Amino acid sequence: YTILAMDGAVDRLHFLDAHGLLTTLLPEFIPARGMRQPKPHYWDVLEHSIQTVGMLEQLTRLLDGPPEEIQLSHIERNGPWNLTRIQILLQEAEEQSVFQRDMLSTPRMKMATLLHDIGKPPTYTTDENGAIHFYGHPQVGVPVAQHIMRRLSSSTQDSRLVQQVVMHHMRPGQLGQDGDVTLKAIRRYFVDLGPTGITVALLSLADHLATRGPEPLSEAWDRHLAVVCQLLEQYIRHRESIMPQLLITPNELIRRFKLEQGPIIGTLLDAIAEAQTEGTIHSKDEAFWVAEEKLHQTKN
């Protein structure tokens, strides 16, 4: 972790790699070296993982700077960034105590960033046309990352952050691919991640930049940046409306419908929260009605 503590982690990671130490510490990266990726990826899996750490550091420096400087800032040949809106939202999140900007530069965050694509080597495939795929790499990467964190004797908190980043790092970028992001999708994102969703959204921007490398950014960056702004704004400014307090508790559901503890409880609570977000229910009786309807659907 000391290697990741200060700025300039990319140089230290490259130094370790040049001396054969990086893959000694993290042998899971051995097959990542030279592992090609489909466009628009510029680097192989190993170098992309390292460069994402560097992009996170540069993104963090920009967000820590004065707003007037962000308009003029750039990374290599990537052109101007307008990150002022994100900076303002993060300031509000800090005032609400749901986010700490300092955590972006912590060793545990950089470790999570380094491991975000650790599921790619075991999921590498090519189809009949030679196209490269990494199907399910976030899900496959979670137990790999957990094993690494146990081997490093990491804390439960650090391991949890790594697990969340590995599992969900693609979601912000994917949300904007099919048009406007719905409030339902935003709510589900933050139900899964809570305030850590802010951190994962920012990491996804660094991932996008490391995907492009020195190549110019495209319209996909503008869409991705807009989605991250929308995620942050809804959670930071409208959290109570998109994630209302539940009308009934899990125990009330269990007693009312004679259920056992299990995934069905989460399914019912999710359906109730969706109905609340949409403004279609406002009382406990209505919440029970939604749960009853959802139970009926699951049985048929």
Side-chain angles (χ1 to χ4, degrees):
Y1 274 22
T2 303
I3 294 167
L4 299 173
M6 296 179 293
D7 236 13
V10 169
D11 290 340
R12 292 191 293 277
L13 290 169
H14 280 153
F15 179 85
L16 286 179
D17 192 39
H19 291 79
L21 297 175
L22 181 61
T23 50
T24 298
L25 292 170
L26 300 171
E28 291 82 2
F29 275 126
I30 292 174
R33 187 188 309 282
M35 180 173 282
R36 295 183 303 114
Q37 302 197 77
K39 290 185 179 299
H41 279 277
Y42 184 83
W43 285 298
D44 66 21
V45 174
L46 176 58
E47 188 61 20
H48 168 77
S49 300
I50 294 172
Q51 291 293 338
T52 305
V53 177
M55 290 300 183
L56 179 69
E57 288 184 339
Q58 295 189 61
L59 181 65
T60 301
R61 284 198 297 273
L62 288 179
L63 291 172
D64 282 343
E68 60 271 15
E69 292 184 6
I70 290 184
Q71 300 286 348
L72 304 175
S73 299
H74 68 279
I75 289 182
E76 296 181 353
R77 293 182 289 278
N78 280 331
W81 293 7
N82 186 353
L83 300 175
T84 306
R85 184 179 173 195
I86 289 181
Q87 189 179 46
I88 293 170
L89 289 167
L90 293 182
Q91 178 64 39
E92 293 177 20
E94 287 186 299
E95 292 169 358
Q96 297 172 21
S97 299
V98 295
F99 177 76
Q100 290 182 319
R101 203 172 324 196
D102 291 347
M103 76 87 54
L104 292 176
S105 57
T106 59
R108 66 192 183 99
M109 183 62 202
K110 293 181 188 178
M111 176 61 76
T113 302
L114 181 65
L115 297 179
H116 77 280
D117 273 344
I118 199 64
K120 281 187 172 178
T123 58
Y124 175 89
T125 59
T126 56
D127 62 25
E128 62 274 9
N129 298 316
I132 297 168
H133 302 284
F134 300 101
Y135 292 126
H137 79 268
Q139 294 83 357
V140 172
V142 169
V144 178
Q146 288 175 322
H147 178 73
I148 291 172
M149 298 303 283
R150 283 195 297 269
R151 191 171 68 233
L152 297 176
S153 300
S154 302
S155 68
T156 301
Q157 184 182 27
D158 290 4
S159 297
R160 176 61 177 159
L161 175 64
V162 170
Q163 176 185 337
Q164 289 177 305
V165 166
V166 171
M167 183 67 185
H168 300 286
H169 68 275
M170 294 184 67
R171 285 178 72 176
Q174 291 173 333
L175 282 175
Q177 291 179 355
D178 299 323
D180 293 338
V181 184
T182 65
L183 291 179
K184 180 178 179 180
I186 294 173
R187 189 190 64 78
R188 284 181 172 172
Y189 176 81
F190 283 108
V191 164
D192 289 341
L193 285 163
T196 304
I198 297 174
T199 303
V200 173
L202 296 173
L203 172 278
S204 75
L205 292 177
D207 187 18
H208 188 124
L209 293 167
T211 295
R212 298 293 301 179
E215 297 293 331
L217 293 172
S218 67
E219 291 180 0
W221 166 257
D222 296 328
R223 290 196 302 271
H224 193 154
L225 188 59
V227 168
V228 169
C229 286
Q230 191 174 356
L231 284 171
L232 268 55
E233 183 166 359
Q234 287 297 327
Y235 186 75
I236 294 165
R237 295 181 175 173
H238 309 289
R239 187 163 57 254
E240 291 184 0
S241 62
I242 67 166
M243 301 182 69
Q245 184 175 358
L246 287 177
L247 293 168
I248 52 180
T249 67
N251 284 337
E252 286 176 313
L253 284 173
I254 290 170
R255 289 195 300 269
R256 176 68 171 262
F257 299 109
K258 298 180 173 55
L259 299 172
E260 300 288 338
Q261 285 282 3
I264 187 61
I265 304 301
T267 299
L268 297 179
L269 291 173
D270 194 48
I272 293 167
E274 281 184 21
Q276 282 183 265
T277 302
E278 293 166 359
T280 57
I281 66 170
H282 305 90
S283 68
K284 182 171 289 193
D285 284 346
E286 290 173 322
F288 279 129
W289 177 82
V290 169
E292 188 173 4
E293 287 292 303
K294 190 67 177 178
L295 276 173
H296 181 70
Q297 292 172 10
T298 58
K299 291 177 181 177
N300 293 334

